[in-house]
Amino acid sequence: MEAALSPTPMERRPAKQGKLTTPGTGSPNVRLQGKGGELGTAIVCTPPPLPTLEYKQKLTLSAQQVENAGEHERTPEAWVSLAVPDRAITTRTMSSVVQKDFIERLFKGAASGSMDDVRLFLKGTFDVNVKNERGWTALMFAARNGHMGVVKELLQHGCDTTVINSTGQTALDMALFWNHADVARILQTDSHQANPDDNPRNYFSLNPLNRCSEKRKDKTWLRNKVLADNTRFIAFHNLSVLATKLPKGTSSQRYELARVEMKDIELYMAANPVTVFLGIEQTNRHTPLTFEEPGLFAVDLSLAEEDKVLSLMPDSILMPGYPAAMQLRPEEAGIYAEARSMLAWHDRYQFCPTCGSPSRLEEGGYKRVCEDMECRSHNGVHNTCYPRTDPSAIMLVVSPDGKRCLLGRSKRFPAKMFSCLAGFMEPGETIEDTVRREVEEESGVIVDRVEYHSSQPWPFPASLMLGCIAYATTDHIKLDEEEMEDARWFSRPEVVQMLTRQHPQGLFVPPEQAVAHQIIKTWVRRTANL
Ligand SMILES: NC(=O)C1=CN([C@@H]2O[C@H](COP(=O)(O)OP(=O)(O)OC[C@H]3O[C@@H](n4cnc5c(N)ncnc54)[C@H](O)[C@@H]3O)[C@@H](O)[C@H]2O)C=CC1
Ligand SMILES: [Mg+2]
Ligand SMILES: [Mg+2]
Ligand SMILES: [Mg+2]
Ligand SMILES: [Zn+2]
C-alpha cells in the first residue's frame, strides 16, 4: 500500500514491491518495478504513529493542559478532545506543527483507507481540498487506491473532483488508470460535480432564482412584490455591487451580495431609480409558486452618494466589475450576472435607438418602451426594446498532431497571462463560423472541426461566451499584430504548469472562474495519458 504515496503513480505501475529503509531517517522506501526493470525508488513518509499509551493519555488531556503543552505535544487527538462536542477545530487556533500533522494524517488515511484518520480531519473546519507539494488532494489518494468508503466520505464533505495535480490528473483519471471502476463511477456521477465534460457549470451561470417571466406583465403583482416585507434589493452604484465579506474559512470566495430592505432605501425609491425584477428565491421548483416566497430586485442607486450606499450594510464594499466580481460566492454569481447586465443595458439605452426619444421601463425592467407613440418601434418586433446579449466565441485550438494547444496574449492581458483566443460573433454567423474566422484572423491557423464545450454569461457588460474546442489542420502562426501580442503552441506538461501556477517563467492561464480555464482543463483531462 505504501506505493500509493509514490511521487508519480500515473507513470509507475508497480509490478513487484520490496521494502528497504532510507539510512539515517528510518523512513521505509519502496522500490518500484516495471516490465522493463526497476523504475525507481519512492520515499515514503513515516507512517502515522500507532495508538500508544502516550497517545491515549493525550486523548484525555484537559483543555488547559493542551493550551499549556509544548507545540510538539499538541497532537491532533488532543485538539479533537478540545473540540468535541461543540467547538470546531480551526486552523486559527492551531500551531503550524499540528496543522501539518493533521494534513499528513489526512493524506495517509485517505491513501490507506483509514476512515478514522480522515474523519479526524473532517471534524475541523479545514480546506478538504488541501494539496500536497505535488498537487495531490486526499480524494486523489483515496481514488488512486480504490478506497470507496473514503471517497464517498470526502465527496460528502465537498471535495472538488475537478482539481488536477501537478502532472495534470484528476482523482477520476487516477481511478480509471488504476482500474477502480466502482470509484470512477462514483466520481463521474457525483452530483456535486458531474463529469465536467457532460455538464460543465461555469461561474456566473449558477442562478438559483425562478425568473417568473410570466409575472413581469402583471403590474399589480409586481407592485405588491416590491412592497412585500421579505423582498430584498441588490444595490448597485455605477455598476459596482454592494457586497459583504463572508466569515473567514467558509470558502475560497470571499464576498456575498448584500440584500437591502425597502425601508432602508425608501428615500431613494422616491426618485424612481432603475429597478429590475430579478426573480423569486423559490425553495422548491416542483411546488406551485406562492406569493410568500421572497422576491429579489436589482436597484441602481447611482443617484446616491457612494458613502450613503455603503452605509446601507455594515462591513460592506462596492465591488467593481472584472476581476473583482470573481470573489463572489459561486452560488450567487449568476444573480450578479443577471443584475449587472440588466443595469448596464438601462444605463446605455436611455433613449430609443430608433428615433432618439426618451424611453421608459416596463415589464419589471425587462423592456424599454419609446415615449413617442408615433415611433416605428411600437409596430412589429423590435429587438431594440429588449435587453441585449453579445455572443462571443472562445476556443481552445488543438494542434494537428493533437499534442499541443494554441494560447494567445491579447494586448490588454495582465503580464504573463495566456488564454484561449476569443472574438465576438458577427451577424449571420454560426458558432463554428465565428470560431474559424476569429482563429484565422488572430493567429493565421486554419480550423476544421469545432466542438461545443459550454457557455458562460460574461456580464462586462453583456456577453455570452460560447466555449469551444477547435481542431486545427495547420500549425503555422501568423499573428494579428493589432489585437494580439503573442500566440504560441503549448505542450500538455507546460499547460499543466500554467494551470497549477508552477510554470518556471511564471506564465499562467485565467482563474477557474473563467470559461477559458475550464476549456483548457477539459483538454488536459482528455489527454491524461499524453
Ligand atoms: N470568459 C473568458 O474566459 C474570456 C472572456 N473574454 C471576453 O470575450 C469577449 C470577446 O473577445 P475579444 O478578443 O475582445 O473580441 P474580438 O477578437 O472580436 O476583438 C474585439 C474587438 O472587436 C470589435 N467588436 C466587434 N463586435 C463587438 C461587440 N459586440 N462588442 C464589443 N466589441 C466588438 C471591437 O473593435 C473590439 O475591440 C470580450 O468581451 C472579452 O472580455 C476573453 C477572454 C477570456
Ligand atoms: Mg479576440
Ligand atoms: Mg472580432
Ligand atoms: Mg478578434
Ligand atoms: Zn422611438
Side-chain angles (χ1 to χ4, degrees), residues 117-148:
D117 280 329
V118 173
R119 288 201 174 127
L120 183 79
F121 181 91
L122 295 174
K123 276 190 179 185
T125 56
F126 306 119
D127 177 8
V128 285
N129 295 310
V130 62
K131 295 177 190 141
N132 76 358
E133 68 287 352
R134 288 177 285 116
W136 280 58
T137 61
L139 188 64
M140 291 177 188
F141 281 116
R144 153 68 183 82
N145 290 312
H147 297 305
M148 183 66 118

Side-chain angles (χ1 to χ4, degrees), residues 135-384:
W136 280 58
T137 61
L139 188 64
M140 291 177 188
F141 281 116
R144 153 68 183 82
N145 290 312
H147 297 305
M148 183 66 118
V150 175
V151 167
K152 282 187 177 165
E153 187 84 7
L154 289 168
L155 289 175
Q156 268 169 20
H157 282 80
C159 247
D160 184 352
T161 53
T162 69
V163 175
I164 56 170
N165 67 4
S166 55
T167 45
Q169 287 91 26
T170 61
L172 174 61
D173 296 330
M174 293 172 192
L176 289 171
F177 187 82
W178 292 97
N179 290 327
H180 303 303
D182 47 347
V183 169
R185 213 168 305 121
I186 289 283
L187 289 169
Q188 264 165 341
T189 55
D190 170 41
S191 60
H192 192 71
Q193 171 61 59
N195 181 351
D197 281 357
D198 295 341
N199 188 18
R201 293 180 187 170
N202 292 313
Y203 195 76
F204 293 128
S205 72
L206 289 176
N207 187 339
L209 300 180
N210 179 349
R211 293 185 182 222
C212 295
S213 56
E214 74 285 0
K215 298 287 186 199
R216 290 179 193 151
K217 285 189 176 147
D218 186 339
K219 287 190 176 141
T220 315
W221 187 93
L222 273 177
R223 196 169 40 245
N224 290 335
K225 206 74 215 169
V226 168
L227 297 172
D229 279 349
N230 61 358
T231 289
R232 295 290 178 271
F233 297 81
I234 307 294
F236 282 79
H237 186 272
N238 292 335
L239 296 180
S240 292
V241 73
L242 190 69
T244 51
K245 216 168 187 161
L246 288 164
K248 251 194 193 156
T250 47
S251 145
S252 58
Q253 261 64 37
R254 293 166 48 213
Y255 291 91
E256 66 184 350
L257 300 170
R259 281 143 206 258
V260 181
E261 294 182 37
M262 175 57 109
K263 65 176 171 45
D264 300 319
I265 52 170
E266 250 163 356
L267 186 72
Y268 308 115
M269 293 307 266
N272 203 16
V274 168
T275 306
V276 175
F277 172 56
L278 299 173
I280 298 290
E281 302 202 74
Q282 197 179 352
T283 35
N284 184 353
R285 284 286 180 98
H286 303 294
T287 56
L289 184 72
T290 67
F291 192 77
E292 277 60 53
E293 285 171 289
L296 203 60
F297 288 77
V299 62
D300 183 358
L301 297 181
S302 302
L303 73 166
E305 280 167 22
E306 212 175 295
D307 287 359
K308 292 277 178 350
V309 179
L310 285 167
S311 70
L312 292 172
M313 198 56 76
D315 297 324
S316 60
I317 60 155
L318 277 167
M319 181 182 267
Y322 179 78
M326 305 286 213
Q327 301 175 84
L328 287 169
R329 275 201 306 130
E331 297 78 20
E332 56 177 20
I335 300 178
Y336 168 84
E338 179 188 2
R340 190 179 192 277
S341 295
M342 288 301 293
L343 295 191
W345 175 61
H346 286 296
D347 189 42
R348 289 169 296 130
Y349 285 73
Q350 291 170 18
F351 297 92
C352 170
T354 306
C355 75
S357 302
S359 59
R360 65 170 189 279
L361 270 67
E362 280 195 359
E363 300 189 10
Y366 265 82
K367 187 173 184 183
R368 290 196 77 102
V369 179
C370 181
E371 296 278 20
D372 180 355
M373 289 315 289
E374 303 292 309
C375 176
R376 273 191 292 135
S377 67
H378 292 292
N379 304 317
V381 177
H382 282 269
N383 66 2
T384 54

Side-chain angles (χ1 to χ4, degrees), residues 445-467:
V445 169
I446 306 295
V447 158
D448 178 13
R449 191 160 68 86
V450 175
E451 184 188 313
Y452 173 73
H453 178 274
S454 64
S455 63
Q456 176 178 48
W458 194 245
F460 312 107
S463 290
L464 175 68
M465 307 306 301
L466 304 164

